[in-house]
Amino acid sequence: MKLWIRMTWLLALPCLAACHRGMEPVAFHDDGYPPALSDWHVVEARDGVLQLNQGVVPYELNTPLFTDYAHKLRTIWMPKGVSAHYSATDTFDFPVGTIISKTFFYPIPASEPRNAKDVARTYDTRRDFAGQGLNLANVHLVETRLLVRRKNGWIAIPYVWNADQTDALLARTGDVQPLRLISENGEREDFNYVVPDQSQCVSCHARDWTTRALQPIGPKARHLNRDYRYADGDENQLTHLTRVGYLTGAPAPADAPRNANWMDPHASLDARARAYLDINCGHCHNPKGAANTTGLTLDISTPKDRHIGICKPPTAAGQGTGDHFFDIVPGHPDDSIIPYRLSSTQPGTMMPEIGRSTVHKEGVALIKAWIAAQPGECVVLH
Protein backbone atom coordinates (compact mmCIF):
# COMPACT_ATOMS: atom_id res chain seq x y z
CA MET A 1 0.00 0.00 0.00
CA LYS A 2 2.80 2.44 0.90
CA LEU A 3 4.51 1.71 -2.43
CA TRP A 4 1.26 2.38 -4.29
CA ILE A 5 0.78 5.71 -2.52
CA ARG A 6 4.38 6.71 -3.25
CA MET A 7 4.05 5.77 -6.92
CA THR A 8 0.82 7.78 -7.18
CA TRP A 9 2.66 10.77 -5.74
CA LEU A 10 5.55 10.39 -8.18
CA LEU A 11 3.15 10.17 -11.12
CA ALA A 12 1.49 13.37 -9.94
CA LEU A 13 4.74 15.35 -9.84
CA PRO A 14 4.74 16.24 -13.58
CA CYS A 15 1.45 18.03 -12.95
CA LEU A 16 3.17 20.34 -10.49
CA ALA A 17 5.47 21.74 -13.14
CA ALA A 18 2.43 22.82 -15.13
CA CYS A 19 0.42 24.15 -12.19
CA HIS A 20 1.34 27.79 -12.73
CA ARG A 21 1.14 27.88 -16.54
CA GLY A 22 -1.28 30.50 -17.80
CA MET A 23 -2.11 31.79 -14.32
CA GLU A 24 -1.77 35.49 -13.68
CA PRO A 25 0.14 36.47 -10.54
CA VAL A 26 -1.76 36.44 -7.26
CA ALA A 27 -3.77 39.68 -6.98
CA PHE A 28 -4.15 41.24 -3.54
CA HIS A 29 -7.23 43.48 -3.39
CA ASP A 30 -6.82 46.00 -0.58
CA ASP A 31 -10.50 46.96 -0.59
CA GLY A 32 -13.87 45.81 -1.90
CA TYR A 33 -15.23 42.35 -2.59
CA PRO A 34 -14.14 40.88 -5.93
CA PRO A 35 -17.08 38.97 -7.47
CA ALA A 36 -15.18 35.76 -8.22
CA LEU A 37 -12.50 33.69 -6.53
CA SER A 38 -10.54 33.72 -9.78
CA ASP A 39 -10.09 37.49 -9.39
CA TRP A 40 -7.53 36.72 -6.69
CA HIS A 41 -5.59 34.07 -8.70
CA VAL A 42 -4.74 32.13 -5.53
CA VAL A 43 -6.29 28.83 -6.60
CA GLU A 44 -7.96 28.23 -9.97
CA ALA A 45 -9.72 25.34 -11.69
CA ARG A 46 -7.60 24.52 -14.75
CA ASP A 47 -7.13 21.40 -16.85
CA GLY A 48 -9.05 19.19 -14.44
CA VAL A 49 -7.12 20.37 -11.38
CA LEU A 50 -7.72 23.00 -8.72
CA GLN A 51 -4.26 24.49 -9.07
CA LEU A 52 -2.20 26.51 -6.61
CA ASN A 53 -0.47 29.60 -7.96
CA GLN A 54 3.21 30.39 -7.60
CA GLY A 55 4.04 31.12 -3.96
CA VAL A 56 0.79 29.66 -2.63
CA VAL A 57 1.81 27.24 0.14
CA PRO A 58 -0.54 24.45 1.24
CA TYR A 59 -0.76 23.32 4.85
CA GLU A 60 -2.67 20.97 7.15
CA LEU A 61 -3.54 20.93 10.85
CA ASN A 62 -2.68 18.22 13.33
CA THR A 63 -6.35 18.07 14.30
CA PRO A 64 -8.78 19.93 12.01
CA LEU A 65 -12.10 21.60 12.76
CA PHE A 66 -15.06 19.39 11.89
CA THR A 67 -17.35 20.67 9.12
CA ASP A 68 -19.90 18.02 8.11
CA TYR A 69 -17.15 15.57 7.09
CA ALA A 70 -15.87 18.00 4.43
CA HIS A 71 -12.24 17.73 3.36
CA LYS A 72 -10.24 20.96 3.18
CA LEU A 73 -7.38 22.39 1.15
CA ARG A 74 -5.70 25.18 3.12
CA THR A 75 -3.19 27.64 1.69
CA ILE A 76 -1.15 30.72 2.64
CA TRP A 77 0.21 33.40 0.30
CA MET A 78 2.22 36.50 1.17
CA PRO A 79 3.71 39.27 -0.95
CA LYS A 80 7.46 39.19 -1.46
CA GLY A 81 9.69 40.62 1.21
CA VAL A 82 7.42 40.12 4.23
CA SER A 83 6.99 37.31 6.76
CA ALA A 84 4.75 36.26 9.62
CA HIS A 85 6.19 36.43 13.14
CA TYR A 86 6.15 33.25 15.20
CA SER A 87 4.21 32.88 18.45
CA ALA A 88 4.34 29.81 20.66
CA THR A 89 0.71 30.20 21.75
CA ASP A 90 -1.25 32.55 19.51
CA THR A 91 -2.00 32.94 15.82
CA PHE A 92 1.13 34.04 13.98
CA ASP A 93 1.38 37.78 13.35
CA PHE A 94 0.78 37.90 9.59
CA PRO A 95 1.70 40.99 7.57
CA VAL A 96 -0.64 43.14 5.51
CA GLY A 97 -1.11 41.48 2.13
CA THR A 98 -1.50 37.92 3.45
CA ILE A 99 -4.21 35.76 1.86
CA ILE A 100 -5.26 32.56 3.62
CA SER A 101 -7.62 30.29 1.71
CA LYS A 102 -9.63 27.26 2.76
CA THR A 103 -11.44 25.22 0.12
CA PHE A 104 -14.14 22.85 1.38
CA PHE A 105 -14.78 19.81 -0.78
CA TYR A 106 -15.94 16.19 -0.73
CA PRO A 107 -14.65 13.11 -2.48
CA ILE A 108 -17.06 11.79 -5.09
CA PRO A 109 -18.51 8.38 -4.12
CA ALA A 110 -17.25 5.47 -6.14
CA SER A 111 -20.70 3.86 -6.21
CA GLU A 112 -22.92 4.18 -9.26
CA PRO A 113 -25.35 5.58 -10.21
CA ARG A 114 -24.48 8.84 -8.47
CA ASN A 115 -26.92 11.64 -7.78
CA ALA A 116 -25.47 15.12 -8.21
CA LYS A 117 -25.85 15.79 -4.48
CA ASP A 118 -24.09 12.59 -3.38
CA VAL A 119 -20.75 13.06 -1.59
CA ALA A 120 -18.53 10.56 0.21
CA ARG A 121 -18.21 10.38 3.98
CA THR A 122 -14.64 9.20 4.32
CA TYR A 123 -11.32 10.12 5.88
CA ASP A 124 -9.43 8.67 2.90
CA THR A 125 -7.73 11.49 0.95
CA ARG A 126 -5.71 9.40 -1.53
CA ARG A 127 -7.95 10.22 -4.52
CA ASP A 128 -8.32 13.91 -3.66
CA PHE A 129 -4.99 15.31 -4.68
CA ALA A 130 -3.20 15.90 -7.97
CA GLY A 131 0.21 17.11 -6.90
CA GLN A 132 -0.61 19.76 -4.30
CA GLY A 133 -3.85 20.73 -6.05
CA LEU A 134 -7.13 18.83 -6.18
CA ASN A 135 -8.16 16.29 -8.80
CA LEU A 136 -11.50 17.65 -10.03
CA ALA A 137 -12.46 14.27 -11.47
CA ASN A 138 -12.57 12.86 -7.95
CA VAL A 139 -13.86 15.71 -5.78
CA HIS A 140 -16.85 18.01 -5.53
CA LEU A 141 -15.95 21.61 -4.58
CA VAL A 142 -18.40 23.42 -2.31
CA GLU A 143 -16.88 26.69 -1.10
CA THR A 144 -13.63 28.59 -0.67
CA ARG A 145 -13.25 31.04 2.19
CA LEU A 146 -10.60 33.75 2.11
CA LEU A 147 -9.12 35.52 5.11
CA VAL A 148 -7.41 38.65 3.82
CA ARG A 149 -5.08 40.81 5.93
CA ARG A 150 -5.78 44.40 4.98
CA LYS A 151 -4.46 47.59 6.60
CA ASN A 152 -7.37 47.76 9.02
CA GLY A 153 -7.22 44.09 9.97
CA TRP A 154 -8.49 40.74 8.74
CA ILE A 155 -11.59 40.40 6.58
CA ALA A 156 -13.42 37.19 5.66
CA ILE A 157 -14.78 36.75 2.14
CA PRO A 158 -16.81 33.61 1.21
CA TYR A 159 -17.08 32.17 -2.31
CA VAL A 160 -19.35 29.31 -3.45
CA TRP A 161 -18.38 27.05 -6.34
CA ASN A 162 -20.67 26.97 -9.35
CA ALA A 163 -22.33 23.82 -10.69
CA ASP A 164 -19.75 23.49 -13.47
CA GLN A 165 -16.91 23.61 -10.92
CA THR A 166 -15.13 26.24 -12.99
CA ASP A 167 -15.13 29.14 -10.52
CA ALA A 168 -16.47 30.21 -7.14
CA LEU A 169 -18.68 33.29 -6.84
CA LEU A 170 -18.99 35.80 -4.03
CA ALA A 171 -21.59 34.74 -1.45
CA ARG A 172 -21.61 37.41 1.29
CA THR A 173 -25.09 36.30 2.40
CA GLY A 174 -24.07 32.66 2.61
CA ASP A 175 -25.63 29.65 0.90
CA VAL A 176 -27.39 26.37 1.64
CA GLN A 177 -26.74 23.25 -0.43
CA PRO A 178 -28.67 19.99 0.06
CA LEU A 179 -26.19 17.11 0.00
CA ARG A 180 -26.21 13.41 0.82
CA LEU A 181 -23.34 11.75 2.68
CA ILE A 182 -22.62 8.21 1.56
CA SER A 183 -20.39 6.17 3.83
CA GLU A 184 -18.14 3.33 2.74
CA ASN A 185 -20.71 0.77 3.93
CA GLY A 186 -23.45 2.43 1.85
CA GLU A 187 -25.15 4.29 4.69
CA ARG A 188 -26.82 7.50 3.50
CA GLU A 189 -27.49 10.73 5.37
CA ASP A 190 -29.23 13.76 3.84
CA PHE A 191 -28.21 17.14 5.24
CA ASN A 192 -28.00 20.81 4.36
CA TYR A 193 -24.47 22.12 3.98
CA VAL A 194 -24.59 25.71 5.25
CA VAL A 195 -22.12 28.31 4.02
CA PRO A 196 -22.06 30.99 6.75
CA ASP A 197 -22.79 34.55 5.73
CA GLN A 198 -19.98 37.04 6.05
CA SER A 199 -21.24 38.51 9.32
CA GLN A 200 -21.23 35.08 11.00
CA CYS A 201 -17.48 34.68 10.57
CA VAL A 202 -16.88 36.84 13.64
CA SER A 203 -18.59 34.27 15.89
CA CYS A 204 -15.62 31.91 15.46
CA HIS A 205 -12.80 34.14 14.26
CA ALA A 206 -13.05 36.86 16.94
CA ARG A 207 -10.49 35.65 19.43
CA ASP A 208 -11.17 38.74 21.57
CA TRP A 209 -14.92 39.28 21.88
CA THR A 210 -14.37 42.83 23.19
CA THR A 211 -12.80 44.11 19.98
CA ARG A 212 -14.39 41.44 17.73
CA ALA A 213 -11.40 41.73 15.42
CA LEU A 214 -11.04 38.67 13.18
CA GLN A 215 -8.06 36.33 13.49
CA PRO A 216 -7.19 33.09 11.69
CA ILE A 217 -7.73 30.00 13.85
CA GLY A 218 -5.55 27.31 12.32
CA PRO A 219 -2.13 28.97 11.77
CA LYS A 220 -0.76 28.45 15.26
CA ALA A 221 2.40 26.56 16.14
CA ARG A 222 0.62 23.69 17.89
CA HIS A 223 -1.62 23.06 14.87
CA LEU A 224 1.08 23.44 12.18
CA ASN A 225 3.91 21.53 13.85
CA ARG A 226 3.73 18.44 11.63
CA ASP A 227 5.07 17.17 8.33
CA TYR A 228 3.48 17.91 4.95
CA ARG A 229 4.14 16.21 1.63
CA TYR A 230 5.28 19.12 -0.54
CA ALA A 231 6.25 18.91 -4.21
CA ASP A 232 9.90 18.40 -3.27
CA GLY A 233 9.27 15.92 -0.46
CA ASP A 234 8.16 15.68 3.16
CA GLU A 235 9.07 18.55 5.47
CA ASN A 236 7.90 19.96 8.78
CA GLN A 237 5.51 22.83 8.08
CA LEU A 238 7.18 25.27 10.49
CA THR A 239 10.53 24.49 8.90
CA HIS A 240 9.10 24.85 5.40
CA LEU A 241 7.40 28.18 6.10
CA THR A 242 10.67 29.46 7.52
CA ARG A 243 12.68 28.18 4.56
CA VAL A 244 10.43 29.88 1.97
CA GLY A 245 10.49 33.15 3.92
CA TYR A 246 6.92 33.10 5.21
CA LEU A 247 7.82 32.75 8.90
CA THR A 248 10.47 34.23 11.19
CA GLY A 249 11.41 33.44 14.77
CA ALA A 250 10.30 29.81 14.82
CA PRO A 251 12.35 27.37 16.92
CA ALA A 252 13.25 23.86 15.85
CA PRO A 253 10.08 21.74 15.59
CA ALA A 254 11.15 19.69 18.62
CA ASP A 255 11.07 22.87 20.71
CA ALA A 256 7.67 24.08 19.44
CA PRO A 257 4.28 23.04 20.88
CA ARG A 258 2.42 20.32 19.04
CA ASN A 259 -1.17 19.16 19.34
CA ALA A 260 -2.00 15.51 18.83
CA ASN A 261 -3.75 14.14 15.79
CA TRP A 262 -7.18 13.21 17.14
CA MET A 263 -7.12 10.01 15.04
CA ASP A 264 -3.60 8.90 15.99
CA PRO A 265 -3.85 5.56 17.82
CA HIS A 266 -0.33 6.07 19.21
CA ALA A 267 -1.26 9.31 21.00
CA SER A 268 -2.84 9.24 24.43
CA LEU A 269 -6.61 9.49 24.78
CA ASP A 270 -6.17 12.69 26.80
CA ALA A 271 -3.96 14.34 24.18
CA ARG A 272 -6.35 13.43 21.37
CA ALA A 273 -9.46 14.66 23.19
CA ARG A 274 -7.82 17.90 24.33
CA ALA A 275 -6.65 18.59 20.76
CA TYR A 276 -10.18 17.96 19.47
CA LEU A 277 -11.75 20.33 22.01
CA ASP A 278 -9.04 22.93 21.37
CA ILE A 279 -9.66 23.25 17.63
CA ASN A 280 -13.44 22.75 17.68
CA CYS A 281 -14.34 24.68 20.83
CA GLY A 282 -11.34 26.63 22.13
CA HIS A 283 -11.69 29.59 19.77
CA CYS A 284 -14.94 30.54 21.58
CA HIS A 285 -14.45 28.87 24.96
CA ASN A 286 -11.48 30.89 26.20
CA PRO A 287 -11.19 33.85 28.61
CA LYS A 288 -11.61 36.42 25.80
CA GLY A 289 -13.79 34.48 23.36
CA ALA A 290 -17.47 34.62 22.51
CA ALA A 291 -18.27 32.06 25.22
CA ASN A 292 -16.20 33.69 27.95
CA THR A 293 -19.26 34.26 30.15
CA THR A 294 -19.85 30.52 30.48
CA GLY A 295 -16.74 29.97 32.61
CA LEU A 296 -15.97 26.94 30.43
CA THR A 297 -12.54 27.20 28.78
CA LEU A 298 -11.58 24.47 26.36
CA ASP A 299 -8.40 25.63 24.66
CA ILE A 300 -5.32 23.46 25.12
CA SER A 301 -3.71 25.72 27.74
CA THR A 302 -6.57 25.23 30.21
CA PRO A 303 -5.57 23.14 33.24
CA LYS A 304 -7.70 20.09 33.89
CA ASP A 305 -9.86 21.40 36.69
CA ARG A 306 -13.34 22.90 36.79
CA HIS A 307 -12.42 25.42 34.07
CA ILE A 308 -12.46 22.62 31.51
CA GLY A 309 -15.85 21.52 32.78
CA ILE A 310 -15.15 18.74 35.28
CA CYS A 311 -17.97 18.93 37.85
CA LYS A 312 -18.72 22.47 36.63
CA PRO A 313 -22.40 23.41 36.61
CA PRO A 314 -23.63 25.31 33.54
CA THR A 315 -24.24 29.05 33.70
CA ALA A 316 -27.76 28.59 32.33
CA ALA A 317 -30.32 25.80 32.57
CA GLY A 318 -32.85 24.60 30.03
CA GLN A 319 -32.67 23.13 26.57
CA GLY A 320 -28.91 23.30 26.19
CA THR A 321 -28.20 21.22 29.29
CA GLY A 322 -30.47 18.27 28.59
CA ASP A 323 -31.32 18.47 32.31
CA HIS A 324 -27.75 17.43 33.16
CA PHE A 325 -26.05 19.04 36.17
CA PHE A 326 -22.42 19.30 35.01
CA ASP A 327 -20.44 19.94 31.83
CA ILE A 328 -18.33 16.85 32.53
CA VAL A 329 -19.23 14.10 34.99
CA PRO A 330 -16.09 11.94 35.43
CA GLY A 331 -16.74 8.38 34.30
CA HIS A 332 -20.24 9.21 33.03
CA PRO A 333 -20.34 10.71 29.52
CA ASP A 334 -24.09 10.19 29.14
CA ASP A 335 -24.65 12.42 32.18
CA SER A 336 -22.36 15.17 30.84
CA ILE A 337 -23.48 18.29 28.99
CA ILE A 338 -20.57 18.55 26.54
CA PRO A 339 -21.20 15.28 24.63
CA TYR A 340 -24.95 15.94 24.84
CA ARG A 341 -24.51 19.21 22.95
CA LEU A 342 -21.97 17.73 20.52
CA SER A 343 -24.53 15.01 19.71
CA SER A 344 -27.32 17.45 18.85
CA THR A 345 -28.22 19.22 15.61
CA GLN A 346 -30.99 21.29 17.18
CA PRO A 347 -30.58 25.10 17.27
CA GLY A 348 -30.19 26.27 20.85
CA THR A 349 -28.68 22.95 21.90
CA MET A 350 -25.98 22.00 19.42
CA MET A 351 -22.36 22.99 19.86
CA PRO A 352 -20.62 24.45 18.00
CA GLU A 353 -23.58 26.71 17.22
CA ILE A 354 -22.64 27.12 13.55
CA GLY A 355 -20.38 25.31 11.11
CA ARG A 356 -22.10 21.95 11.01
CA SER A 357 -25.45 20.34 10.24
CA THR A 358 -24.45 16.78 11.08
CA VAL A 359 -23.13 15.01 14.15
CA HIS A 360 -19.45 14.09 14.12
CA LYS A 361 -19.98 10.54 15.33
CA GLU A 362 -16.30 9.68 15.67
CA GLY A 363 -15.58 12.96 17.47
CA VAL A 364 -18.41 12.40 19.94
CA ALA A 365 -17.16 8.85 20.55
CA LEU A 366 -13.69 10.24 21.34
CA ILE A 367 -15.00 12.78 23.86
CA LYS A 368 -17.24 10.18 25.49
CA ALA A 369 -14.32 7.76 25.85
CA TRP A 370 -12.22 10.55 27.36
CA ILE A 371 -14.90 11.47 29.90
CA ALA A 372 -15.44 7.81 30.74
CA ALA A 373 -11.76 7.54 31.63
CA GLN A 374 -11.79 10.55 34.00
CA PRO A 375 -11.46 9.72 37.71
CA GLY A 376 -13.49 11.26 40.49
CA GLU A 377 -17.13 12.07 41.07
CA CYS A 378 -19.38 15.12 41.25
CA VAL A 379 -21.53 16.07 44.22
CA VAL A 380 -24.94 17.59 43.64
CA LEU A 381 -25.80 20.12 46.37
CA HIS A 382 -29.46 20.54 47.20
Side-chain angles (χ1 to χ4, degrees), residues 243-310:
R243 183 168 64 82
V244 301
Y246 277 11
L247 183 63
T248 60
D255 297 323
R258 179 173 183 166
N259 272 15
N261 177 343
W262 75 280
M263 297 181 69
D264 182 2
H266 302 292
S268 71
L269 176 60
D270 186 70
R272 292 163 56 211
R274 292 299 303 272
Y276 185 88
L277 292 172
D278 185 31
I279 193 66
N280 283 281
C281 313
H283 49 272
C284 287
H285 285 276
N286 65 77
K288 293 184 178 181
N292 63 351
T293 59
T294 66
L296 178 65
T297 52
L298 297 173
D299 58 4
I300 202 72
S301 63
T302 306
K304 193 186 291 184
D305 57 13
R306 285 182 58 174
H307 292 295
I308 202 170
I310 296 176

Side-chain angles (χ1 to χ4, degrees), residues 162 166 237 250 264 268 350 354:
N162 59 20
T166 55
Q237 292 182 141
D264 182 2
S268 71
M350 64 181 284
I354 64 171

Side-chain angles (χ1 to χ4, degrees), residues 105-180:
F105 65 95
Y106 289 92
I108 294 173
S111 59
E112 296 290 346
R114 175 184 175 257
N115 187 289
K117 70 176 186 178
D118 290 348
V119 294
R121 197 192 90 179
T122 178
Y123 294 108
D124 188 349
T125 62
R126 288 175 297 177
R127 297 175 67 249
D128 296 357
F129 294 93
Q132 294 184 67
L134 298 178
N135 187 336
L136 297 180
N138 296 334
V139 303
H140 173 75
L141 306 176
V142 180
E143 59 164 324
T144 296
R145 303 177 192 175
L146 298 184
L147 275 174
V148 180
R149 181 65 169 87
R150 291 174 171 170
K151 291 181 180 178
N152 293 327
W154 290 96
I155 185 169
I157 309 178
Y159 292 90
V160 173
W161 284 87
N162 59 20
D164 294 333
Q165 304 278 275
T166 55
D167 204 351
L169 304 179
L170 182 65
R172 295 184 65 190
T173 58
D175 191 34
V176 177
Q177 297 188 16
L179 297 174
R180 180 187 295 123

Side-chain angles (χ1 to χ4, degrees), residues 3 7 39 46 52 68 78 95 114 132 168 201 210 216 222 233 252 256 258 260 271 275 285 300 331 378:
L3 177 61
M7 288 301 296
D39 292 323
R46 289 172 170 266
L52 280 58
D68 290 330
M78 297 182 207
R114 175 184 175 257
Q132 294 184 67
C201 297
T210 302
R222 62 184 182 270
R258 179 173 183 166
H285 285 276
I300 202 72
C378 302

Side-chain angles (χ1 to χ4, degrees), residues 225-244:
N225 190 3
R226 54 162 291 168
D227 285 353
Y228 188 92
R229 176 152 290 185
Y230 298 99
D232 52 357
D234 292 1
E235 189 173 21
N236 180 275
Q237 292 182 141
L238 298 178
T239 302
H240 183 81
L241 290 172
T242 300
R243 183 168 64 82
V244 301

